[in-house]
Amino acid sequence: MQVSTYHSRGVISEVVVRQDPCVWDSQVPGRLKREQLQKYGEQGFIVLRGVFSQSEMREASKEIKMLREKYDGREAKVTGESLVVTEAGTGVLKSFFCPHLKAPATLKKIANSPPLFEIAQQILADEVYIHQSRINFQSAIVGTGFKWHSDFETWHNEDGMPKPRAVSAVIMCAKNRPYNGALMVYPGSHKHFVRVKGMQPDRNWEDSLSNQTYGSPDQSQLAYLAELGRTQNDPIMYLEGDPGDVIFFDSNLMHGSHGNISHESRTNVFQVFNAASNNLVEPFAGTQPRPEHLAHRTTILSSKSVLSQF
């Protein structure tokens, strides 16, 4: 097993100061203004309004409906080949992987939008590529949500991502509100790394994407993060928005979502951008690498290839 500053999933449970920046060079020019970069660096996320048009969102909504009709009712979990995860017990679609390569036309176009790559490059001060891409469906009544976690903690241990030099772009394809499971975050939590106990088994990804067991912090760790990043009286924020809005958030930001028992489904496209200089190595937990569609090693869609077309 490799030695790492960000080792986790052993016998130690603790919160330590992050050793790497969030904004890697604030002088890099780009779409974000300096104040926006500063805000991103401080809180670990930023929400941009109206990035995509309502006409694009209407077409995306039609394609999302098509995907639901195609996959709802099947009991499926991610295997080495399957791109689909369904809700346990109901078969309702939960996640669809690789929309930047496999989705219908409008969703694929949105996922590969040049502004997303440009903003990721500005934040990370490097060329970027898509590490992972998925559509998350938080279905009305039965959507179960996601436990608290840092994406980087998983990507480091299970994929071999060396540093938290990655950013996620979340394209809202429906209203995101607290009542239908909007993303919840601990602002400022990205400045600390949470080591969690418990060594996951090999092929943990077969179950973790529908029901996460390993990699989630305990109550005392969450309480500590809350005190570190408390804003006024609310240590936790819901990131609300409308179709066409986009959230950019740091790979180490503590986030999650609760179940959706409302009548309105919530659907978002997630694009994960990793710095080209932060290529994956062997997983730091010593397990076998996850399948290609969960962590791209060979099927690389880079900012250089995307932006050269425009």
Side-chain angles (χ1 to χ4, degrees):
M1 190 180 299
Q2 302 177 75
V3 177
S4 166
T5 303
Y6 298 106
H7 64 85
S8 184
R9 305 202 185 182
V11 297
I12 298 174
S13 175
E14 63 179 347
V15 180
V16 297
V17 176
R18 173 179 174 155
Q19 298 300 304
D20 293 289
C22 173
V23 176
W24 286 72
D25 184 350
S26 60
Q27 303 305 311
V28 173
R31 289 177 174 267
L32 297 182
K33 298 177 182 178
R34 182 169 296 186
E35 309 83 68
Q36 291 175 306
L37 275 178
Q38 183 178 3
K39 188 175 183 181
Y40 178 89
E42 283 299 312
Q43 60 186 17
F45 65 90
I46 189 169
V47 183
L48 304 180
R49 306 298 180 188
V51 176
F52 294 96
S53 69
Q54 291 308 297
S55 61
E56 289 175 302
M57 289 296 102
R58 284 193 291 272
E59 289 303 310
S61 181
K62 293 176 185 177
E63 293 176 355
I64 287 167
K65 183 179 179 182
M66 289 167 50
L67 290 173
R68 288 184 185 280
E69 291 173 348
K70 181 176 181 179
Y71 292 107
D72 269 359
R74 302 183 184 185
E75 285 283 353
K77 64 179 180 180
V78 169
T79 66
E81 297 78 33
S82 173
L83 301 179
V84 173
V85 179
T86 56
E87 297 282 2
T90 65
V92 171
L93 186 59
K94 184 178 181 73
S95 298
F96 177 91
F97 285 87
C98 288
H100 70 297
L101 299 175
K102 303 291 186 179
T106 301
L107 286 168
K108 182 191 267 188
K109 180 181 177 183
I110 287 171
N112 294 324
S113 174
L116 303 182
F117 284 83
E118 291 169 350
I119 292 171
Q121 283 191 151
Q122 185 182 7
I123 291 170
L124 302 177
D126 197 355
E127 290 186 4
V128 298
Y129 71 92
I130 294 178
H131 166 69
Q132 185 192 96
S133 178
R134 66 190 184 277
I135 304 173
N136 279 349
F137 301 78
Q138 195 120 358
S139 296
I141 308 299
V142 297
T144 54
F146 296 87
K147 293 179 181 178
W148 289 109
H149 64 286
S150 151
D151 286 330
F152 173 67
E153 194 276 342
T154 295
W155 299 336
H156 185 70
N157 284 286
E158 298 191 33
D159 296 335
M161 183 180 286
K163 295 184 176 183
R165 196 169 185 174
V167 57
S168 291
V170 182
I171 302 104
M172 300 185 193
C173 297
K175 286 194 298 185
N176 279 234
R177 300 290 188 268
Y179 63 76
N180 68 349
L183 191 70
M184 301 163 65
V185 303
Y186 280 86
S189 59
H190 64 301
K191 298 177 182 179
H192 289 75
F193 180 73
V194 179
R195 304 193 206 284
V196 297
K197 289 182 179 180
M199 180 60 188
Q200 82 280 354
D202 235 338
R203 303 177 71 87
N204 179 53
W205 43 269
E206 290 188 341
D207 298 308
S208 65
L209 295 165
S210 58
N211 183 26
Q212 184 175 355
T213 301
Y214 300 92
S216 191
D218 61 32
Q219 183 179 1
S220 65
Q221 290 173 319
L222 291 175
Y224 186 71
L225 291 178
E227 289 305 313
L228 287 173
R230 184 177 294 277
T231 302
Q232 297 178 353
N233 295 318
D234 298 319
I236 296 173
M237 287 181 61
Y238 285 98
L239 302 190
E240 301 182 54
D242 295 309
D245 294 346
V246 178
I247 304 165
F248 284 87
F249 72 92
D250 182 81
S251 59
N252 191 48
L253 184 70
M254 192 61 64
H255 65 286
S257 61
H258 54 64
N260 178 13
I261 59 171
S262 82
H263 61 288
E264 290 186 14
S265 294
R266 173 184 70 83
T267 306
N268 294 332
V269 176
F270 280 71
Q271 289 286 82
V272 180
F273 297 97
N274 189 26
S277 59
N278 199 37
N279 277 331
L280 304 185
V281 295
E282 290 301 305
F284 286 86
T287 53
Q288 292 297 310
R290 296 196 297 175
E292 179 70 20
H293 57 279
L294 298 184
H296 289 301
R297 294 172 181 270
T298 58
T299 312
I300 301 298
L301 183 62
S302 67
S303 53
K304 187 174 183 180
S305 63
V306 169
L307 298 178
S308 66
Q309 301 175 32
F310 294 87

